[in-house]
Amino acid sequence: MNGGQVVPDVGGIVRAIVVVVVVLCFGWLLLAWAVFKRPILALPVAAFTGLVLLVGMHDAQALAIYLVVALLIWRRAHRASFDRLVGRRLRGAWRRWRVYECSWRTTMLHTGLAKRGRVRDAVPRIDRVISNRWCDRVRVRLVLGQCTEDYEKAAPGLAHAFGAEVCRVREDRPGRLWLQFRVADPLVAPLSALPIDETVDLEAVPIGVREDGEPWRLKLLGTHVLIVGATGAGKGSVLQSLIRALGPEVRDGRVQLRVADPKGGMELGPGRALYARFARPTLDEQPYAAIVELLEDAVDALRHRSDGLGDVGVRKHTPTVEQPLIVVVIDELADLTKYVKDRKTRERIERALGLLLTQGRAVGVCVVAALQNPRKEVLNDRDLFPTRVALRLDESSQVDMVLGEGARDRGALCDKIPESQPGVGYVHIDGVREPTRVRAAYPTNDDIAALVAVYTPPRPALDGEQLFQAAEHDVDGEVIELPTTRNEDQPEDDGKRAAS
């Protein structure tokens, strides 16, 4: 105090200002870091803080309540779009922090995926988390020197550590991979017939659901499909779901179904109105003659189309009404390749199948076949099917026969699928090294009848001779009456006189 005046403590004021500035800078840097590292969790806090500064606490609280109510209404009214745009991001951010990052370092050390160093440990880093109610997908940056096999060996321990039913490893790109943790199983309950989409992508035909809750889409254009499973494994569900999804294209004429049912039509017969050709064994001396003719006619169509496309320089067929995608469906292939007694008939079948499988893909002829026994002595051309679906199998050795060597070691436990889950199986998805677990939908008899009623293609009008030929090939048609011509010079009662 000097002359009754108080001398301000300049040093203390400066220190206080410095502390406030440092705290504010640190707070803003922390907020910026949080927004950058945890945008889904930090952005709402940052936005609310900004609202408080702009409009005050009371108005900011009111706006926040309105926003929460709007999100709840959106989720209630259209959950699919809410989950796609908001829900998955919120769930992924929450589970990344709450489930994985809290114990990530410890888990990596205990499972042997982290490498200890003198200064610090080298630990794989979490790059991204995508989550839905069925599974979490965690993208990981590998430590230098690691490979996919290291994580495949540690997958059971990772599943237990993070409370998941199963952990599967998916390759992403060099230095990155996905860990897929299944937290619930969408394939336990039977799946009803899927709704029919009027816009059909022949390279991604939806026929079921994958174990991550996403649609199972099967490529049909430019490939052949082999479905293998024991009795009651659900092969019919896959075939019927595929036919169901193709309904709009069949009706519009861009897909033509030619169906052979060696089992007599029990499985595929109810949908015969959708088929351009339908053949089954008969009770005469040559029971498989109609099926042989169906296959050989498909070979003739293949050759004609190949010549036409080659003349115009087209290397890949695009389905049109004039040149539709021909899908040859065979319900039980072993009946044709193994159990036909007549040697000449069996040789004709094998020759036609070989030509279709080796030359059909490029010209728009696809073979979809179901089979129980995948052994070479039953089907010698097994490797000519690029797309293969393995349902429940009787023996573990059959898994690698269908999906390729090492498929069972990578998680395709087809021999462990219970009989109570028909339609469940494993399939290779494009771009994914490991087999993916899937389940086909189950169309009921009522679903098939409704499909036939709506999507049966219009049949051409046939005269008597064409109708006779169509009956031989089991093709539906409409009878028309041809106009009769009469010679004007001939009296009307000539017929009566001749009769008399």
Side-chain angles (χ1 to χ4, degrees), residues 412-432:
L413 304 178
C414 301
D415 55 307
K416 300 295 184 181
I417 298 175
E419 294 184 5
S420 60
Q421 296 181 2
V424 174
Y426 292 85
V427 64
H428 278 297
I429 304 297
D430 286 343
V432 180

Short mmCIF file of all heavy atoms in Angstrom, two decimals, residues 412-432:
data_model
loop_
_atom_site.label_atom_id
_atom_site.label_comp_id
_atom_site.label_asym_id
_atom_site.label_seq_id
_atom_site.Cartn_x
_atom_site.Cartn_y
_atom_site.Cartn_z
N ALA A 412 -15.43 -73.00 -42.34
CA ALA A 412 -16.62 -73.56 -42.98
C ALA A 412 -16.96 -74.91 -42.34
O ALA A 412 -16.61 -75.97 -42.85
CB ALA A 412 -16.39 -73.71 -44.48
N LEU A 413 -17.66 -74.88 -41.24
CA LEU A 413 -17.96 -76.10 -40.48
C LEU A 413 -19.30 -76.67 -40.95
O LEU A 413 -20.28 -76.74 -40.19
CB LEU A 413 -18.00 -75.78 -38.99
CG LEU A 413 -16.72 -75.15 -38.41
CD1 LEU A 413 -16.90 -74.84 -36.95
CD2 LEU A 413 -15.52 -76.04 -38.66
N CYS A 414 -19.35 -77.09 -42.20
CA CYS A 414 -20.60 -77.60 -42.77
C CYS A 414 -21.06 -78.89 -42.10
O CYS A 414 -22.26 -79.15 -42.02
CB CYS A 414 -20.43 -77.83 -44.27
SG CYS A 414 -19.97 -76.36 -45.21
N ASP A 415 -20.13 -79.69 -41.63
CA ASP A 415 -20.49 -80.94 -40.97
C ASP A 415 -21.01 -80.72 -39.55
O ASP A 415 -21.52 -81.66 -38.93
CB ASP A 415 -19.29 -81.88 -40.93
CG ASP A 415 -18.07 -81.22 -40.28
OD1 ASP A 415 -17.70 -80.11 -40.72
OD2 ASP A 415 -17.48 -81.81 -39.35
N LYS A 416 -20.94 -79.49 -39.04
CA LYS A 416 -21.43 -79.16 -37.71
C LYS A 416 -22.79 -78.46 -37.75
O LYS A 416 -23.34 -78.13 -36.68
CB LYS A 416 -20.43 -78.27 -36.98
CG LYS A 416 -19.05 -78.89 -36.79
CD LYS A 416 -19.08 -80.10 -35.89
CE LYS A 416 -17.68 -80.65 -35.64
NZ LYS A 416 -17.71 -81.84 -34.76
N ILE A 417 -23.34 -78.21 -38.92
CA ILE A 417 -24.63 -77.54 -39.02
C ILE A 417 -25.72 -78.50 -38.53
O ILE A 417 -25.81 -79.63 -39.01
CB ILE A 417 -24.91 -77.11 -40.47
CG1 ILE A 417 -23.85 -76.11 -40.94
CG2 ILE A 417 -26.30 -76.50 -40.60
CD1 ILE A 417 -23.98 -75.73 -42.40
N PRO A 418 -26.56 -78.10 -37.59
CA PRO A 418 -27.60 -79.01 -37.09
C PRO A 418 -28.70 -79.23 -38.12
O PRO A 418 -28.97 -78.37 -38.98
CB PRO A 418 -28.13 -78.28 -35.85
CG PRO A 418 -27.81 -76.84 -36.08
CD PRO A 418 -26.54 -76.81 -36.87
N GLU A 419 -29.37 -80.38 -38.03
CA GLU A 419 -30.46 -80.69 -38.94
C GLU A 419 -31.64 -79.75 -38.76
O GLU A 419 -32.48 -79.62 -39.65
CB GLU A 419 -30.91 -82.14 -38.73
CG GLU A 419 -29.86 -83.17 -39.11
CD GLU A 419 -30.38 -84.59 -38.99
OE1 GLU A 419 -31.59 -84.75 -38.69
OE2 GLU A 419 -29.60 -85.54 -39.18
N SER A 420 -31.73 -79.09 -37.62
CA SER A 420 -32.83 -78.17 -37.36
C SER A 420 -32.67 -76.83 -38.07
O SER A 420 -33.54 -75.96 -37.93
CB SER A 420 -32.95 -77.92 -35.85
OG SER A 420 -31.74 -77.36 -35.34
N GLN A 421 -31.59 -76.65 -38.84
CA GLN A 421 -31.36 -75.39 -39.54
C GLN A 421 -31.18 -75.63 -41.03
O GLN A 421 -30.10 -75.42 -41.59
CB GLN A 421 -30.14 -74.67 -38.97
CG GLN A 421 -30.29 -74.25 -37.51
CD GLN A 421 -29.07 -73.52 -36.98
OE1 GLN A 421 -28.10 -73.27 -37.69
NE2 GLN A 421 -29.11 -73.16 -35.71
N PRO A 422 -32.23 -76.09 -41.73
CA PRO A 422 -32.10 -76.27 -43.19
C PRO A 422 -31.94 -74.93 -43.88
O PRO A 422 -32.54 -73.92 -43.49
CB PRO A 422 -33.44 -76.93 -43.56
CG PRO A 422 -34.39 -76.52 -42.49
CD PRO A 422 -33.57 -76.44 -41.23
N GLY A 423 -31.12 -74.92 -44.92
CA GLY A 423 -30.85 -73.68 -45.63
C GLY A 423 -29.62 -72.95 -45.16
O GLY A 423 -29.18 -72.00 -45.81
N VAL A 424 -29.02 -73.38 -44.03
CA VAL A 424 -27.80 -72.76 -43.52
C VAL A 424 -26.60 -73.42 -44.20
O VAL A 424 -26.55 -74.64 -44.35
CB VAL A 424 -27.70 -72.90 -42.00
CG1 VAL A 424 -26.36 -72.38 -41.49
CG2 VAL A 424 -28.83 -72.15 -41.32
N GLY A 425 -25.66 -72.61 -44.62
CA GLY A 425 -24.48 -73.15 -45.28
C GLY A 425 -23.38 -72.12 -45.35
O GLY A 425 -23.44 -71.07 -44.69
N TYR A 426 -22.38 -72.42 -46.15
CA TYR A 426 -21.23 -71.55 -46.32
C TYR A 426 -21.00 -71.34 -47.81
O TYR A 426 -21.23 -72.24 -48.63
CB TYR A 426 -19.98 -72.15 -45.68
CG TYR A 426 -20.03 -72.21 -44.17
CD1 TYR A 426 -20.65 -73.28 -43.53
CD2 TYR A 426 -19.48 -71.21 -43.39
CE1 TYR A 426 -20.72 -73.35 -42.16
CE2 TYR A 426 -19.53 -71.26 -42.01
CZ TYR A 426 -20.15 -72.34 -41.40
OH TYR A 426 -20.22 -72.40 -40.03
N VAL A 427 -20.53 -70.15 -48.15
CA VAL A 427 -20.31 -69.81 -49.55
C VAL A 427 -19.15 -68.83 -49.62
O VAL A 427 -18.88 -68.08 -48.66
CB VAL A 427 -21.58 -69.19 -50.17
CG1 VAL A 427 -21.94 -67.88 -49.50
CG2 VAL A 427 -21.45 -69.00 -51.67
N HIS A 428 -18.46 -68.84 -50.73
CA HIS A 428 -17.41 -67.85 -50.97
C HIS A 428 -18.03 -66.59 -51.56
O HIS A 428 -18.77 -66.65 -52.54
CB HIS A 428 -16.35 -68.39 -51.93
CG HIS A 428 -15.33 -69.26 -51.26
ND1 HIS A 428 -14.47 -68.78 -50.28
CD2 HIS A 428 -15.01 -70.57 -51.42
CE1 HIS A 428 -13.69 -69.76 -49.88
NE2 HIS A 428 -14.00 -70.85 -50.54
N ILE A 429 -17.76 -65.44 -50.97
CA ILE A 429 -18.20 -64.14 -51.46
C ILE A 429 -17.05 -63.50 -52.22
O ILE A 429 -15.89 -63.61 -51.82
CB ILE A 429 -18.65 -63.23 -50.30
CG1 ILE A 429 -19.75 -63.92 -49.48
CG2 ILE A 429 -19.14 -61.90 -50.83
CD1 ILE A 429 -21.02 -64.20 -50.22
N ASP A 430 -17.36 -62.83 -53.34
CA ASP A 430 -16.32 -62.20 -54.14
C ASP A 430 -15.49 -61.24 -53.29
O ASP A 430 -16.02 -60.39 -52.56
CB ASP A 430 -16.95 -61.41 -55.30
CG ASP A 430 -17.47 -62.34 -56.39
OD1 ASP A 430 -17.06 -63.52 -56.40
OD2 ASP A 430 -18.29 -61.89 -57.21
N GLY A 431 -14.17 -61.38 -53.39
CA GLY A 431 -13.26 -60.51 -52.67
C GLY A 431 -12.99 -60.92 -51.23
O GLY A 431 -12.23 -60.25 -50.54
N VAL A 432 -13.62 -62.00 -50.78
CA VAL A 432 -13.44 -62.47 -49.40
C VAL A 432 -12.75 -63.82 -49.43
O VAL A 432 -13.25 -64.76 -50.06
CB VAL A 432 -14.79 -62.56 -48.66
CG1 VAL A 432 -14.57 -63.05 -47.23
CG2 VAL A 432 -15.49 -61.20 -48.66
#
